[in-house]
Amino acid sequence: MNQVTRRTLLLLSFCLMVFAAEAQKRRWTQLGKAGDWRNTVDIVSMNGSLYSIEKDGTLWKTDDEGNYEKLAGKGSFQDVQFMVALDGYLFTLEGDGELYKTDLESLRWVKLGDDWKNTAGIVALNGYLYSIETDGTLYQTDKNGKWKQIGEEGSFKDASLLAAMNGALWTVEDGTLYRSDPKTLRWKQVGKEGEWDETVALVGEQGYLWSLESNGTLFKTDASGNYQQIGEEGAYNSMTHLVALNGYLFTIENGTLYRTK
């Protein structure tokens, strides 16, 4: 083998390794047409499907391949502030603090009350809704709308992000990640202080936290706080929505839906 051929093969091998590494980092698929999701205001996952609401109040159901169907027409879900999926029901916080429960099989809905106008964040965990109000107080609500305060008033006053995973509540407070048991209210700092200072979005799914930083960088973190960067730095700087389903991460970027493994 002459020197030129050897150099050519080495260069080709290097290029293939680089290509493979990039492909590993960029395992994403566009679902549907560009811009199909530009009117989406909120999206959640449950029972193997994505459920999304558009600006005009239309409700859609989408599978993990991007196939979708309309469940409820224009105006059905107007003025939604928060949307949470729990045990076959869609809970929506609308208007001036009204909480509604919708059966996703029959699409029958019921108003559970109007006590949630100060809600700053809400998640589903262990058959209940857990919400933090603007003063940092934590509440637990059952599927019939019966609620109670958990812990002392203002216990989560420094929480800026809230997620549910592995039977626990996960919060980012003053840039630090904490895990709290909602039954005992025992909490534990996870990782180093201030590590999450740039985090702007957080979601829990199948034993991992997925988080987005202000510069568009995506991270995947396990329950012990071990994390890895997903993709290149800033690769998700156009993301507006983030949701996990069936081991995939779904993002909406510039109105287009993507699936990332």
Side-chain angles (χ1 to χ4, degrees):
M1 183 182 297
N2 61 43
Q3 189 174 10
V4 174
T5 304
R6 185 179 292 109
R7 286 178 179 175
T8 302
L9 289 175
L10 286 173
L11 179 59
L12 177 61
S13 177
F14 174 76
C15 290
L16 287 173
M17 286 190 294
V18 170
F19 178 81
E22 287 301 306
Q24 181 70 15
K25 290 191 295 182
R26 295 172 177 263
R27 290 185 297 171
W28 56 266
T29 302
Q30 178 180 321
L31 300 178
K33 298 177 182 179
D36 272 352
W37 294 70
R38 61 184 176 275
N39 293 317
T40 302
V41 296
D42 207 347
I43 183 170
V44 296
S45 64
M46 182 170 57
N47 298 340
S49 297
L50 300 172
Y51 295 89
S52 60
I53 292 176
E54 296 197 339
K55 292 177 182 177
D56 65 0
T58 305
L59 175 66
W60 298 87
K61 176 182 178 181
T62 305
D63 66 19
D64 58 13
E65 294 295 327
N67 303 304
Y68 57 85
E69 62 175 306
K70 184 189 294 186
L71 294 185
K74 183 178 179 180
S76 300
F77 289 85
Q78 211 93 46
D79 198 21
V80 171
Q81 310 299 318
F82 292 99
M83 181 166 69
V84 181
L86 173 64
D87 295 345
Y89 295 98
L90 193 65
F91 292 83
T92 52
L93 188 57
E94 305 177 27
D96 193 22
E98 296 106 352
L99 183 65
Y100 293 87
K101 179 177 72 173
T102 301
D103 186 322
L104 288 173
E105 291 295 326
S106 65
L107 290 182
R108 293 177 180 173
W109 58 269
V110 60
K111 182 179 177 180
L112 299 180
D114 54 8
D115 298 319
W116 288 267
K117 63 182 177 181
N118 294 317
T119 300
I122 185 169
V123 294
L125 179 68
N126 300 334
Y128 293 95
L129 301 175
Y130 287 89
S131 58
I132 296 177
E133 296 205 337
T134 51
D135 67 353
T137 304
L138 178 67
Y139 290 89
Q140 179 195 77
T141 302
D142 69 17
K143 283 173 280 192
N144 295 313
K146 184 178 180 181
W147 56 266
K148 65 178 180 179
Q149 181 177 317
I150 303 294
E152 298 180 1
E153 184 175 335
S155 297
F156 290 84
K157 61 182 177 61
D158 295 320
S160 57
L161 293 169
L162 172 66
M165 184 187 72
N166 288 4
L169 296 173
W170 299 75
T171 55
V172 175
E173 305 176 37
D174 289 330
T176 303
L177 181 66
Y178 294 91
R179 180 180 65 229
S180 299
D181 185 331
K183 295 181 180 178
T184 64
L185 279 188
R186 292 177 180 172
W187 57 270
K188 179 181 179 181
Q189 178 179 320
V190 180
K192 298 178 182 178
E193 186 173 342
E195 275 189 319
W196 295 70
D197 191 51
E198 297 298 322
T199 305
V200 295
L202 184 70
V203 62
E205 171 74 3
Q206 295 184 344
Y208 291 96
L209 293 172
W210 298 85
S211 60
L212 180 71
E213 297 206 338
S214 58
N215 68 350
T217 304
L218 183 67
F219 289 90
K220 179 181 179 181
T221 304
D222 67 18
S224 298
N226 303 306
Y227 60 86
Q228 66 179 109
Q229 182 176 312
I230 304 299
E232 300 173 0
E233 183 175 344
Y236 294 84
N237 59 6
S238 299
M239 185 194 301
T240 55
H241 296 83
L242 171 70
V243 64
L245 172 70
N246 296 343
Y248 294 102
L249 188 71
F250 293 81
T251 62
I252 298 177
E253 304 171 46
N254 292 322
T256 303
L257 182 66
Y258 295 91
R259 184 185 68 199
T260 301
K261 182 68 173 179

